Amino acid sequence: MTSSPPEALRELEQRVRDLEATAERTGQNLDASISPLKVEVQRLREAGGPPSRWERVGLARAPGRPTALDYVDRLCTGFTELHGDRRFGDDPALIGGPARWMGVPVMLLLQQKGRDTKSKIKRRFGSANPEGYRKAMRLMDLAEKFGLPVVALVDTQGAYPGLEAEERGQGWAIAESIRRMLNLRVPVVCAVIGEGGSGGALAVGVGNRVLIQENAWYSVISPEGAASIIWKDASKAPLAAEALKLSAPDLLELGIVEEVIPEPKGGAHLNMDEAAAAVGEAVARHLAELMAQSPQELKRSRAARFRALGAFTET
């Protein structure tokens, strides 16, 4: 059975990454093998049209896609991670602390999936427990106390659904985080850099400006979750992705995000530095605009922004 063009492209991209990793690890010169594959990758990219919604979900999950800490490493200086919620413990899935974003002092809130299998398991693929959201609220309080703008990088399929999370008040922690973020008197810029799933994403996504990368997605539920509920069949996730209108162009058209941040051709995983430069510039630009507003205006406009979502008129 032959692969479809998008699948063939992903397979070729993975082969290129594998060969490049082998060359780096062993010191071998594999250019003769890598160069023809790169030519074919470029040909397939140019032949294809815009990716479908489901293909964008795949790009948001692509191996090697930049994580929150990858962006911090390239865009920030002086990042100091703060730990613990002062009530139960620390959560490695949702981290943060003060830093300078391209020279501007900020408080970072980062949903960190992990960079390899071991770290992904440790961080539960970016799905936070209640202590993660309570830690985020502690950092929000510090940001307000010291007048630091908040920058949140969103990347999660949703809050952690385990028994221990429910026992420690997952829903309550998410609700408290949303309320606390709504009432902040400092600028808040949120950027969806991969996956933005359900309340787990919204808990740190209540910004004056919400941005999204070109191949990221943001929705009340993952396509697989929606397909399992509606059709009792997770394999219908591509149909669910179309119905949910979860892609960046959809969200911009619906007024859910203020800006779509362009990615390198083929996805952010193919050129991390270029992707980081685009994210850094967009966030810095919106921060500069918001820092001219008064605390009262920041709080008022943020609440008005979210209350306007989903509004409709009956004729």
Side-chain angles (χ1 to χ4, degrees), residues 139-185:
L139 299 185
M140 293 177 207
D141 289 341
L142 286 173
E144 190 165 73
K145 179 178 180 179
F146 294 107
L148 295 174
V150 173
V151 173
L153 300 184
V154 177
D155 191 12
T156 181
Q157 287 194 24
Y160 189 64
L163 177 62
E164 64 271 28
E166 295 302 321
E167 289 174 339
R168 297 199 290 274
Q170 184 71 289
W172 187 257
I174 290 171
E176 284 185 317
S177 186
I178 292 171
R179 181 180 66 177
R180 184 69 191 94
M181 215 166 188
L182 270 171
N183 288 304
L184 284 174
R185 294 164 59 85

Side-chain angles (χ1 to χ4, degrees), residues 117-128:
T117 301
K118 184 177 180 180
S119 64
K120 286 177 181 177
I121 293 171
K122 173 187 174 184
R123 298 183 188 276
R124 298 185 304 280
F125 296 83
S127 294

Side-chain angles (χ1 to χ4, degrees), residues 10-274:
R10 283 194 290 272
E11 289 169 7
L12 277 176
E13 288 172 345
Q14 186 59 54
R15 286 172 62 188
V16 169
R17 286 194 293 272
D18 290 343
L19 284 170
E20 288 176 337
T22 300
E24 183 176 351
R25 185 175 66 254
T26 63
Q28 291 179 273
N29 186 343
L30 299 178
D31 288 348
S33 299
I34 294 172
S35 295
L37 290 178
K38 284 188 171 180
V39 170
E40 181 62 11
V41 165
Q42 188 63 29
R43 186 191 69 79
L44 286 174
R45 284 185 198 149
E46 291 173 354
S52 69
R53 294 180 177 96
W54 179 241
E55 287 166 357
R56 289 187 191 274
V57 171
L59 288 169
R61 299 170 177 172
R65 187 176 178 88
T67 67
L69 283 177
D70 289 321
Y71 288 121
V72 171
D73 289 344
R74 287 161 174 78
L75 299 170
C76 297
T77 56
F79 173 51
T80 302
E81 184 178 351
L82 302 180
H83 296 270
D85 67 344
R86 300 297 187 264
R87 293 170 67 175
F88 179 82
D90 193 35
D91 190 343
L94 207 170
I95 60 178
R100 288 181 178 271
W101 184 281
M102 300 179 71
V104 179
V106 300
M107 181 66 75
L108 296 176
L109 302 178
L110 312 169
Q111 290 180 320
Q112 176 65 15
K113 281 187 171 181
R115 291 165 166 155
D116 52 36
T117 301
K118 184 177 180 180
S119 64
K120 286 177 181 177
I121 293 171
K122 173 187 174 184
R123 298 183 188 276
R124 298 185 304 280
F125 296 83
S127 294
N129 272 323
E131 53 269 25
Y133 297 113
R134 292 181 179 125
K135 175 171 64 177
M137 285 184 274
R138 186 169 76 85
L139 299 185
M140 293 177 207
D141 289 341
L142 286 173
E144 190 165 73
K145 179 178 180 179
F146 294 107
L148 295 174
V150 173
V151 173
L153 300 184
V154 177
D155 191 12
T156 181
Q157 287 194 24
Y160 189 64
L163 177 62
E164 64 271 28
E166 295 302 321
E167 289 174 339
R168 297 199 290 274
Q170 184 71 289
W172 187 257
I174 290 171
E176 284 185 317
S177 186
I178 292 171
R179 181 180 66 177
R180 184 69 191 94
M181 215 166 188
L182 270 171
N183 288 304
L184 284 174
R185 294 164 59 85
V186 294
V188 182
V189 176
C190 306
V192 183
I193 59 170
E195 301 189 88
S198 193
L202 184 60
V204 292
V206 186
N208 295 94
R209 306 283 170 84
V210 179
L211 320 177
I212 186 170
Q213 283 190 282
E214 182 181 354
N215 293 312
W217 65 268
Y218 194 22
S219 175
V220 296
I221 192 171
S222 70
E224 294 89 344
S228 297
I229 292 170
I230 298 171
W231 294 290
K232 312 299 182 187
D233 184 357
S235 69
K236 294 188 182 295
L239 288 176
E242 292 298 315
L244 287 167
K245 294 188 176 181
L246 44 61
S247 72
D250 293 323
L251 298 168
L252 184 64
E253 182 180 349
L254 293 168
I256 294 170
V257 300
E258 274 73 30
E259 181 177 340
V260 174
I261 304 171
E263 295 187 21
K265 193 170 183 63
H269 59 293
L270 299 178
N271 192 328
M272 207 175 289
D273 292 335
E274 185 180 334

Side-chain angles (χ1 to χ4, degrees), residues 292-312:
Q293 297 182 18
S294 69
Q296 295 81 6
E297 177 59 19
L298 288 166
K299 180 178 173 181
R300 186 205 63 76
S301 63
R302 191 183 309 120
R305 179 196 186 282
F306 280 87
R307 288 187 181 278
L309 296 182
F312 63 95

